[in-house]
Amino acid sequence: MSRFLLVVPPLTGHVAPLRAVAAELTARGHEVAWCGPEPATSELTGAATVFPAGDAAAFAVERRPEGLRGFAALKFLWESYLVPLADAMMPGATAAVAEFGPDVVVADQQAFAGALVATRCGIPWVTSASTPTELAEPLRALPKIAAWIDGLQDGLRARHGVVCGDLRFSPDLVLAFTTAALAGPAPHPGVRFVGPARAPAPAADFPWHALDGRPLVLVTLGTANAGAGRRFLAESADALAGTPDVQGLVVDPAGELAGDGILLATRIPQAEVVRRAAAVVCHGGHNTVCESLAAGVPLVVAPIRDDQSMLARQVVTAGAGLRLRFDRAKAPDIREAVAAVLSEPRYAAGAATIRASFAAAGGATAAVERLAALVPVAAPGAG
């Protein structure tokens, strides 16, 4: 069998699809190892073999300044996160490749060190596009910004003695964990849509007996938005408490909310709850959007930052939900949006269309078949 090294940033949403891919690879008899900043990579993967590459504390989401928007957010992402992360991960990624001897390196689209080391060592590498942010090349209409990003990549390549193309797109394979039905066609020729890949989540207690049979509306802003989300969560709680024909469930990681007429939880088994929901109100995180649409559940999306705005636009374009302004939406706005996605059949129909596209794409199984096809080229007779 073959060896696959998965190189990731310390970000839950970026690790999640590769956990499912790793499980499928292992089930087929392949050897899998991970590489990323510690201790987060071990905590997020639960893997036995993790090669450390940098200090996760230096790249924790919580260190990002709140309120960044537009070019300021993009500038911070590249200058203060992606490029420093690549530099910090290079020694560990180099050591991981030398010790593990992978046949293929799978590098998350934000873990450039994987692409740099694989290219330098002559090993085929695959891009893991956990979100559709870069697939449509959104900066094509902004040539000066695109040139600035190219310059930052030039600096990375020069510092580490690597000659290659765009570090965000492997010349061998780009695994996109979405579908064209949601994300639209990808102009990059190497993209292969495999749909969401989901591994079993850690168990979480949940009072299933408290569900009373009314349509369930879940409100969640993910794991990294507790501070930014206080106002929106409170407005959502008020909106659902004032809607007696639905049952509201608001996930409040900080445990600060109080309210009658709704359920509150600090943590939930999200995929299981989503399957019982009639609608989901969220921030547009890729995992939450895909879990909801995979269950055919329409969405109300209030994006906060980064790729969430793009995902919200995709949901609206697909007819699978509505969009709200995160920083302006009040309880009446949220209540009205929830009522619309529950009462107008077109939203459920749009979500059902995306659900069908996800099922047809193949998920982790399709991803592994694509990866395995690279191995004979990389290592004839491997196994």
Side-chain angles (χ1 to χ4, degrees):
M1 290 284 101
S2 306
R3 292 184 172 188
F4 294 86
L5 180 67
L6 313 184
V7 184
V8 296
L11 302 171
T12 304
H14 292 249
V15 170
L18 288 181
R19 286 182 58 235
V21 171
E24 182 70 16
L25 285 167
T26 301
R28 296 189 183 201
H30 299 292
E31 290 187 58
V32 176
W34 295 79
C35 176
E38 284 287 68
T41 302
S42 291
E43 294 167 354
L44 292 172
T45 64
T49 306
V50 177
F51 292 95
D55 178 6
F59 299 98
V61 173
E62 294 78 11
R63 293 174 63 91
R64 173 183 175 149
E66 291 187 13
L68 293 178
R69 296 290 187 273
F71 180 69
L74 185 69
K75 188 173 189 293
F76 178 89
L77 175 67
W78 278 87
E79 287 188 344
S80 300
Y81 196 90
L82 297 182
V83 171
L85 177 65
D87 286 328
M89 288 181 64
M90 279 298 291
T94 300
V97 167
E99 183 175 343
F100 185 62
D103 298 307
V104 176
V105 170
V106 182
D108 180 85
Q109 204 166 31
Q110 293 191 354
F112 301 148
L116 289 166
V117 173
T119 300
R120 191 165 64 189
C121 296
I123 301 170
W125 64 280
V126 174
T127 298
S128 169
S130 60
T131 81
T133 310
E134 301 287 353
L135 297 182
E137 298 179 0
L139 297 178
R140 284 182 299 165
L142 301 169
K144 290 185 179 180
I145 296 178
W148 170 71
I149 289 176
D150 288 343
L152 292 175
Q153 290 200 53
D154 286 342
L156 264 176
R157 288 185 286 258
R159 278 196 300 281
H160 299 291
V162 176
V163 177
C164 64
D166 195 322
L167 298 170
R168 296 167 294 182
F169 295 98
S170 162
D172 299 307
L173 174 65
V174 178
L175 289 175
F177 292 99
T178 184
T179 60
L182 178 61
H188 194 279
V191 173
R192 297 294 179 267
F193 291 104
V194 297
R198 295 179 298 278
D205 293 332
F206 185 78
W208 297 106
H209 64 276
L211 301 183
D212 60 16
R214 288 178 293 167
L216 179 67
V217 178
L218 170 66
V219 181
T220 176
L221 299 179
T223 57
N225 301 297
R230 291 189 186 96
R231 187 203 67 84
F232 187 87
L233 290 176
E235 294 289 343
S236 296
D238 289 345
L240 297 175
T243 310
D245 54 339
V246 304
Q247 184 173 27
L249 167 59
V250 178
V251 181
D252 172 27
E256 297 176 344
L257 292 179
D260 297 325
I262 60 169
L263 297 175
L264 295 169
T266 57
R267 183 170 175 241
I268 62 171
Q270 183 164 292
E272 297 175 51
V273 172
V274 164
R275 285 194 288 270
R276 300 195 186 199
V280 171
V281 180
C282 71
H283 60 306
H286 192 253
N287 285 347
T288 302
V289 167
C290 287
E291 283 179 344
S292 301
L293 295 178
V297 177
L299 290 149
V300 174
V301 186
I304 302 174
R305 56 179 173 246
D306 301 333
D307 62 331
Q308 296 159 12
S309 182
M310 177 182 291
L311 280 159
R313 184 167 64 249
Q314 291 175 358
V315 168
V316 172
T317 300
L322 291 171
R323 176 175 181 163
L324 293 175
R325 285 285 300 270
F326 175 79
D327 53 351
R328 294 186 182 180
K330 299 290 183 66
D333 306 311
I334 298 167
R335 188 180 302 120
E336 180 181 355
V338 167
V341 299
L342 289 176
S343 63
E344 298 181 31
R346 60 193 174 104
Y347 295 112
T353 297
I354 303 303
R355 177 180 59 189
S357 78
F358 285 178
T365 299
V368 167
E369 289 171 354
R370 295 281 186 183
L371 290 172
L374 292 177
V375 172
V377 177

